[in-house]
Each structure stands twice: as structure tokens, then as C-alpha cells.
Amino acid sequence: MDLTDKTQHVSFGGLLSAEIALLFSVPQGSVLGPPLFLLYTAEVFDIIASLGLTGHSYSDVTQVYISAPAVTETQPTSARLAECIKHLNCWMSQNGLKLNAEKTQLVWLGTRQQLTKLTISQLPLSSSTVDLVLTVTNLGVVFDGQLTMAPHTASICGSGFFSNYAS
């Protein structure tokens, strides 16, 4: 596989930009893409760990976790999450990547009793806020704060019901 002499141009609004030579290249769909992306972004997990949080990544989706008591640690936990996002955003800016704030979500996990004690419903960031959501989707599975699987079951049943009438 030849990774030299690669060029690129952009088409927008029916116009074509000038062609430029690429200094670095990985062919789209190659087996090199995923491992090179992981190597490129490996520092992300150092940042997450340095703030005492845990991270998980699949493809270009990264999730950050932290465990804390519902009543006493809500404020400091939120501050640590916000600080982590601030550091990640800075690292991404320095490395030619962009944090998608519109896809950034906050969900609290716990028992019904624990979740009723929470007072934080937003995560303040430098230029925006992240609102608390009641459900999140992870690799196609819909989770709620109590991990009941009810939203996922409803989603699956709804899509099955829809496909029966769509055909």
C-alpha cells in the first residue's frame, strides 16, 4: 500500500478547491486506520486518568465515568467532569480535532432513591452547558439512569412495530 504522493481537494457548492499534496495519509477503510487513530488519541486517556476518572472508547466515541455518593459528592464530581471536558477540549484543539459539544451528554446512574437526591442538572463548560439527559444510547443500546432497560425495550418494540407498517 503506497502512502506517498497523495493529494486532496474539496468540493463545496459546486466548486472545486485547488489540489494540495498531503504530508501524511491513511487510505479510508484500510486496516491501518483504527490502530493509527487509537495511537493518535492515546493521550486522551492519560488526561482522563490524571483527573481521577475512567474512560472508555469505541471508534471515535469516548465516554468518561466517575463514581461518587449521590448526596455528598455531586458538586465536586460535576466540577471534575467539567474540568476533564475542558482539558480534553484543549488537547483536541491542539491536535486538530474538535469536541462535538452537541453530542456531549451527562447522565447520572443510580437507584431511584439516589437519583431523587441529585441537585445537579447541568454541567457548566467554558462556552456552553451540558444538560442532564434521562437516557443515553451506547452502541445501539438505550440506557436510563436506573439501568432498567425499559427505554431500550420500548425502542426495540417501537422499531419492530414501525417496520411492520412500513412494509
Side-chain angles (χ1 to χ4, degrees):
M1 181 180 323
D2 183 22
L3 299 180
T4 60
D5 301 322
K6 299 289 181 186
T7 60
Q8 171 180 312
H9 59 261
V10 177
S11 173
F12 181 75
L15 300 173
L16 196 60
S17 72
E19 194 170 90
I20 61 166
L22 297 177
L23 299 175
F24 308 99
S25 173
V26 177
Q28 187 171 355
S30 81
V31 295
L32 289 175
L36 288 175
F37 180 77
L38 289 174
L39 288 171
Y40 184 67
T41 60
E43 246 181 282
V44 164
F45 294 97
D46 294 337
I47 294 167
I48 293 168
S50 75
L51 294 161
L53 288 85
T54 304
H56 173 256
S57 189
Y58 181 81
S59 185
D60 62 346
V61 175
T62 301
Q63 299 167 343
V64 178
Y65 305 92
I66 188 169
S67 178
V71 179
T72 58
E73 294 296 319
T74 306
Q75 195 68 32
T77 299
S78 297
R80 282 173 60 200
L81 280 169
E83 187 69 12
C84 184
I85 293 171
K86 176 182 155 193
H87 284 280
L88 290 173
N89 193 33
C90 182
W91 181 89
M92 289 180 153
S93 293
Q94 293 170 352
N95 288 278
L97 300 171
K98 184 175 185 299
L99 181 76
N100 191 340
E102 291 150 10
K103 290 188 177 182
T104 303
Q105 297 178 308
L106 169 67
V107 63
W108 294 110
L109 304 176
T111 65
R112 183 176 38 84
Q113 295 84 0
Q114 290 170 325
L115 294 174
T116 59
K117 296 175 186 175
L118 295 171
T119 57
I120 304 287
S121 62
Q122 287 186 329
L123 193 60
L125 303 177
S126 56
S127 61
S128 63
T129 59
V130 176
D131 292 325
L132 174 69
V133 294
L134 299 178
T135 63
V136 292
T137 302
N138 185 12
L139 299 176
V141 179
V142 183
F143 293 93
D144 66 352
Q146 296 177 53
L147 299 176
T148 65
M149 299 300 289
H152 183 69
T153 303
S155 172
I156 295 296
C157 291
S159 64
F161 182 74
F162 176 76
S163 68
N164 281 340
Y165 285 99
S167 20

